Amino acid sequence: MPEFPPLQNDLILRTARGEATERTPVWMMRQAGRYLPEYQAVRAEHSFFEVVGTPELAATVTLQPIDRFPLDAAIIFSDILVVPQALGLEVEMVSGKGPHFPDPIASPDDLDRLVTPDVDDALGHVFAALTRTRHDLDGRVPLIGFAGAPWTLMAYMIEGGGSKTYNAARKWLYAHPDAARRLLQTITDVVVDYLIGQVEAGAQLLQVFDSWAGLLGPQMFRKFLFPFLEQIADRVKDACPEVPLIVFAKGAHHALDSLADTAYDVISLDWTMDPQAASLLVGDRAVLQGNLDPCALYADPDAIDREVQHMLAGFGPQRHIANLGHGMHPTHDPEHARAFIDAVHRHSEQMRAV
Amino acid sequence: MPEFPPLQNDLILRTARGEATERTPVWMMRQAGRYLPEYQAVRAEHSFFEVVGTPELAATVTLQPIDRFPLDAAIIFSDILVVPQALGLEVEMVSGKGPHFPDPIASPDDLDRLVTPDVDDALGHVFAALTRTRHDLDGRVPLIGFAGAPWTLMAYMIEGGGSKTYNAARKWLYAHPDAARRLLQTITDVVVDYLIGQVEAGAQLLQVFDSWAGLLGPQMFRKFLFPFLEQIADRVKDACPEVPLIVFAKGAHHALDSLADTAYDVISLDWTMDPQAASLLVGDRAVLQGNLDPCALYADPDAIDREVQHMLAGFGPQRHIANLGHGMHPTHDPEHARAFIDAVHRHSEQMRAV
C-alpha cells in the first residue's frame, strides 16, 4: 500500500466505529457535482466519463467541495456504472437524461456476453484516481470509496438506463430467478474485488449504494438483495477489517432491522425514515447516517437550520453521521449546502454541551 | 339519486365495513387497461381522454375485466388528472410517455391561473360515465369511484408530467409552504365535491390515490398530506356516511399508523409493506387492501399461486381486500391476472374452511 500523508481529521472514522465524538461528522452524497460552478467549469471541457477516467480530473473534482466547505469526508468522484462497464457493457452518459446502455441485458442468454474482468485492468483508473486524490487531500479528511450494490447494478444493466419502476429488472426476479441469482453473484464477485482494490488504492471508508432497493418488497429483498449485500460486507471485512463499511439501501424501510445485524458498520437512511424510530430500532448494532430531505436545501438558510436541528435531535448526538437522505441536486445553491454543514457543526456541538 | 339494478355481490362492501365474510374480495388496480386486447381495440379507435370523456366508451372499458374475470368490484375508467383539467390546466396523454401539462404551475403567481370549477360542469362527464356504468353493470359487482389526492395532483400540476422524484413540487413544500397549502386546499375543495358527486352518480365505494406520498418524509407527510387526506375523508363521510372510503398513500410506510386513525375504512398498501406487520399495527382500526407486487404476475401461474397464498396468510382471512400493490402493467398476460384472481378465491375459501 502506498504511503499517504497523515490524517488530520478522523472524526467520521471514529464515529463509524461507534466511538463517542466531540461533534457529528458531516458530508453530502453527490457533494462533488453540478451544483458547484467549479465543477461545471471542469465539465465544460470534459465529458462525465472522461472526468471519471482521468485520475487528475477526478481528484480535482473530488476536492472541490472540500476546498469550499468544512466537510468531514471526501468521496471519490466516480460512478457506480463503472462495474457494468468492467463486465463488458457499454454505458454512455446522456446529458440531461442520465446513463444509457445501448445494448442492455435483454434475456438470460445475454449473460454470456458478460466478461470476467481483471479488476486492476478494468477499474485501474478508479484506483489511480483514489491514490492521486488521497495524496492531494494531504490528510485533511478521509477518502470514501464506493460501489453500486448488485441489485441496483443489475437493474441498470437490464433496464438499460434510469427508470421509475425498473419493471424489466423486477420481472427477472419472478420470471428468471436462477438467472437473476447468477447475475447478482457475478456482479457481487466484481464488487468485492473492486472495493478491496479501492482500499489498497487509498480509500479509508466504503459505501455500497443500493439505490433501487426500495422497489422491492420485504420477501424479494430477503431473497435477492440481502444475501449479496451480506456477502459483500463479510468478504470485504475479511480482507480489510479496519475499514468502516456503509450500506445505503434506499427506500428499503423494512430492511433496517436485518441490515443492523450485518457486518456493515453504518446504515445510511433516506429521508423517508424517521431518525428517532430508526435509532430506537437499531440501538448499538450500527451507526446511522443521513437523512435530511435534499429538497430541504431549497428552503431559506434559517429554515435549513431548523430542519437540521430537528434531524440531529432525532438521531441524538452520538453514533450519527450527518448527511442528506439522497444526493445533492444540480439546482441547489452552494450557500444552502453551507447552511446545512454549518448547522450540523453548530447544533451537534451544542447538543454535547448541554 | 337514480334508480339502479339491485346489487348481487356485495362482498367487497361488507369487507370494507369490517364485517366477517365467506371469502376475500379481489380486484386489481388498473384492471381495465392496456394488458387487455379488448381495451387495445377500443384505444385503436379513440384517444385516452376521449374514452375518459365519453360515458359509453368509459362504461365499455370499465366492464371489460368484469366480463372476463370473477372480480368483486369494477373501478370507473377515468384518470386522476381530470381534476387539474377542471382547475383549468391543459393535460395531454402522450403515447408511451404518460401525461404532459404544456403549461404547468411554475411559481406561486401561477396559482391565479386556476379557476374555481362548477364540478357538475367540469366533471359531469365522469358522473355520466359512472351512472351509465352502474346501469350496464346490472348489479353484478359494486362500482368504485376515485380521485387523486391533493399532494399527488399538486406534484403533477407543478412538475408538468411524470417524474422520478418530483423535485420541483417537493421544492415548493420547503420554499413556498404557504402557497403549497393554498394550492392543496384548492385541490381538496374540488376533490371533496368531486367524490360526493361520484356517489350521487352511482359510485358505491371511493378510493383516494396518493401515488407520490412516498416521496416525502414523515414530517412533510404530517404537515402537507395528512391534514388534507383527513379533511377529504371527514367531509365526504359527512355527506355519504354509508360509502366506504379507501386511501392509497403509496410508499408512505411511516404513515400507516396515523392513517388507521382517520375516517378511511380501508388502507391500501403497496408491495413494499409486510402484510403481517401492517395487520398487527392497524388491528381493527381499518381494513387493509393489497398488496402483491405487480411484477409477481410475470411469474408462471404456479408461482403466482404460491405468492398469493403467502400474501393471504400475512393478511389473515378477514378484514382484507386482495389487490396488487400498484396497477397492472401493459405487458402483463391476462391469463396471469386470472391466476391471481383464482388463487385469491381458492386460498381465501380454504383459509376459512380450516
Side-chain angles (χ1 to χ4, degrees):
Chain A
M1 200 175 307
E3 283 263 337
F4 292 117
L7 187 58
Q8 294 149 40
N9 172 355
D10 65 349
L11 184 66
I12 193 170
L13 298 180
R14 287 185 281 126
T15 303
R17 292 189 191 111
E19 299 171 24
T21 57
E22 62 282 11
R23 178 170 66 70
T24 299
V26 55
W27 68 284
M28 300 176 303
M29 288 189 265
R30 221 176 286 147
Q31 62 191 17
R34 282 180 285 169
Y35 76 103
L36 292 176
E38 56 268 38
Y39 172 87
Q40 299 272 20
V42 172
R43 283 297 311 286
E45 311 262 317
H46 306 280
S47 76
F48 178 82
F49 278 118
E50 217 180 315
V51 179
V52 168
T54 312
E56 190 189 340
L57 293 176
T60 298
V61 163
T62 302
L63 261 69
Q64 286 173 343
I66 308 301
D67 289 338
R68 201 188 247 266
F69 304 123
L71 290 159
D72 294 303
I75 180 161
I76 189 68
F77 187 81
S78 187
D79 194 88
I80 62 170
L81 298 180
V82 296
V83 164
Q85 286 176 329
L87 285 162
L89 294 182
E90 195 188 333
V91 186
E92 301 161 351
M93 195 56 77
V94 184
S95 176
K97 278 199 60 182
H100 174 69
F101 291 64
D103 204 9
I105 301 286
S107 79
D109 288 342
D110 283 343
L111 295 183
D112 297 336
R113 277 167 43 207
L114 299 179
V115 300
T116 305
D118 177 294
V119 169
D120 285 324
D121 261 8
L123 294 160
H125 60 285
V126 182
F127 300 153
L130 281 157
T131 304
R132 167 74 189 245
T133 306
R134 177 88 182 263
H135 279 293
D136 290 357
L137 268 173
D138 202 24
R140 288 154 70 190
V141 291
L143 179 58
I144 304 175
F146 70 90
W151 156 247
T152 289
L153 296 179
M154 169 182 163
Y156 277 113
M157 288 163 74
I158 291 174
E159 207 79 31
S163 157
K164 236 190 293 190
T165 50
Y166 289 89
N167 286 341
R170 283 164 57 209
K171 176 177 173 171
W172 272 49
L173 306 184
Y174 291 99
H176 314 298
D178 294 333
R181 278 196 195 86
R182 217 159 66 232
L183 175 53
L184 290 164
Q185 187 60 56
T186 299
I187 299 170
T188 298
D189 291 339
V190 177
V191 165
V192 166
D193 289 348
Y194 179 44
L195 288 171
I196 295 170
Q198 289 189 50
V199 172
E200 288 164 355
Q204 292 156 289
L205 203 80
L206 295 170
Q207 178 154 327
V208 177
F209 284 88
D210 214 348
S211 309
W212 308 127
L215 294 176
L216 303 180
Q219 206 187 342
M220 290 288 116
F221 182 88
R222 280 192 297 272
K223 275 193 201 173
F224 292 100
L225 274 65
F226 187 80
F228 299 98
L229 286 172
E230 193 176 37
Q231 195 189 128
I232 289 170
D234 289 343
R235 290 168 65 185
V236 173
K237 274 286 177 194
D238 265 357
C240 323
E242 79 293 351
V243 175
L245 299 181
I246 309 171
V247 63
F248 181 39
K250 182 169 172 288
H253 54 89
H254 46 77
L256 186 55
D257 190 49
S258 51
L259 288 173
D261 286 329
T262 62
Y264 290 99
D265 305 275
V266 182
I267 302 173
S268 199
L269 303 178
D270 68 73
W271 71 94
T272 71
M273 301 293 285
D274 179 65
Q276 197 171 8
S279 299
L280 276 169
L281 178 67
V282 170
D284 60 2
R285 294 182 291 163
V287 168
L288 297 178
Q289 175 174 279
N291 74 341
L292 195 76
D293 183 350
C295 286
L297 297 193
Y298 292 119
D300 64 65
D302 284 348
I304 293 172
D305 192 273
R306 286 192 300 274
E307 295 286 338
V308 169
Q309 199 171 359
H310 183 265
M311 171 188 79
L312 292 173
F315 283 111
Q318 301 292 349
R319 306 181 66 80
H320 174 223
I321 297 168
N323 204 319
L324 304 177
H326 200 198
M328 291 289 293
H329 301 170
T331 54
H332 277 146
D333 179 339
E335 285 312 302
H336 288 214
R338 183 188 303 282
F340 167 71
I341 297 160
D342 287 350
V344 173
H345 278 250
R346 191 168 53 256
H347 292 298
S348 75
E349 280 169 11
Q350 279 169 2
M351 284 165 79
R352 285 162 172 84
V354 173
Chain B
M1 201 171 309
E3 282 263 338
F4 291 117
L7 187 59
Q8 295 149 41
N9 172 354
D10 65 349
L11 185 65
I12 193 170
L13 298 180
R14 287 185 280 125
T15 303
R17 294 188 190 113
E19 297 171 24
T21 57
E22 61 283 10
R23 178 170 66 69
T24 300
V26 55
W27 67 285
M28 301 176 302
M29 287 189 266
R30 221 176 285 149
Q31 63 190 18
R34 283 180 285 171
Y35 76 105
L36 291 177
E38 56 270 36
Y39 172 86
Q40 300 272 19
V42 173
R43 283 297 313 286
E45 311 262 318
H46 305 280
S47 75
F48 178 82
F49 278 118
E50 218 180 317
V51 180
V52 168
T54 312
E56 190 190 340
L57 294 175
T60 298
V61 164
T62 301
L63 260 69
Q64 287 173 344
I66 307 302
D67 289 337
R68 200 187 247 266
F69 306 123
L71 289 159
D72 295 303
I75 180 162
I76 188 67
F77 187 81
S78 186
D79 194 88
I80 62 169
L81 298 181
V82 296
V83 165
Q85 286 176 330
L87 285 162
L89 294 182
E90 195 188 332
V91 186
E92 302 160 352
M93 194 57 76
V94 184
S95 175
K97 276 198 64 180
H100 173 69
F101 291 63
D103 203 8
I105 300 286
S107 78
D109 288 343
D110 284 342
L111 295 183
D112 297 337
R113 277 168 41 209
L114 298 179
V115 301
T116 305
D118 177 294
V119 167
D120 285 322
D121 260 8
L123 295 160
H125 60 286
V126 182
F127 301 153
L130 281 156
T131 304
R132 167 76 190 243
T133 305
R134 178 87 181 264
H135 278 293
D136 289 358
L137 268 172
D138 201 26
R140 288 155 70 190
V141 291
L143 179 58
I144 304 176
F146 69 91
W151 156 247
T152 289
L153 295 179
M154 169 182 162
Y156 277 112
M157 289 163 73
I158 292 174
E159 208 80 31
S163 157
K164 235 189 297 190
T165 51
Y166 289 88
N167 286 342
R170 283 163 58 208
K171 176 177 174 171
W172 271 50
L173 306 184
Y174 292 101
H176 314 299
D178 293 333
R181 276 194 198 88
R182 217 159 65 230
L183 175 53
L184 291 163
Q185 187 60 57
T186 298
I187 300 170
T188 298
D189 291 338
V190 177
V191 165
V192 167
D193 288 348
Y194 179 44
L195 289 170
I196 295 170
Q198 290 188 50
V199 172
E200 289 166 354
Q204 292 155 287
L205 203 81
L206 295 170
Q207 178 154 328
V208 176
F209 284 88
D210 213 349
S211 310
W212 307 127
L215 294 175
L216 303 180
Q219 205 187 342
M220 289 289 116
F221 181 89
R222 280 193 296 272
K223 273 192 201 174
F224 292 100
L225 274 65
F226 186 80
F228 299 98
L229 287 171
E230 195 177 35
Q231 195 188 130
I232 289 170
D234 289 343
R235 290 169 63 185
V236 174
K237 275 285 178 194
D238 265 357
C240 323
E242 79 293 352
V243 175
L245 300 181
I246 310 171
V247 62
F248 181 39
K250 182 170 172 285
H253 53 89
H254 45 76
L256 186 55
D257 189 49
S258 50
L259 288 174
D261 285 330
T262 63
Y264 290 100
D265 305 274
V266 182
I267 302 173
S268 199
L269 303 178
D270 68 74
W271 71 94
T272 72
M273 300 294 284
D274 180 64
Q276 197 171 8
S279 300
L280 276 170
L281 178 67
V282 169
D284 60 4
R285 293 182 291 163
V287 168
L288 296 177
Q289 175 174 278
N291 76 343
L292 195 75
D293 183 351
C295 286
L297 297 194
Y298 292 119
D300 63 65
D302 285 348
I304 292 171
D305 192 272
R306 286 192 300 275
E307 296 285 339
V308 169
Q309 200 171 359
H310 183 265
M311 173 189 78
L312 291 174
F315 283 110
Q318 302 291 349
R319 306 180 65 79
H320 175 222
I321 297 168
N323 204 320
L324 305 176
H326 201 196
M328 292 289 292
H329 300 169
T331 54
H332 278 147
D333 180 338
E335 285 312 302
H336 288 214
R338 185 187 302 283
F340 166 72
I341 297 159
D342 287 349
V344 173
H345 279 249
R346 190 167 54 255
H347 292 298
S348 74
E349 280 169 11
Q350 279 170 1
M351 284 166 80
R352 284 164 173 81
V354 173

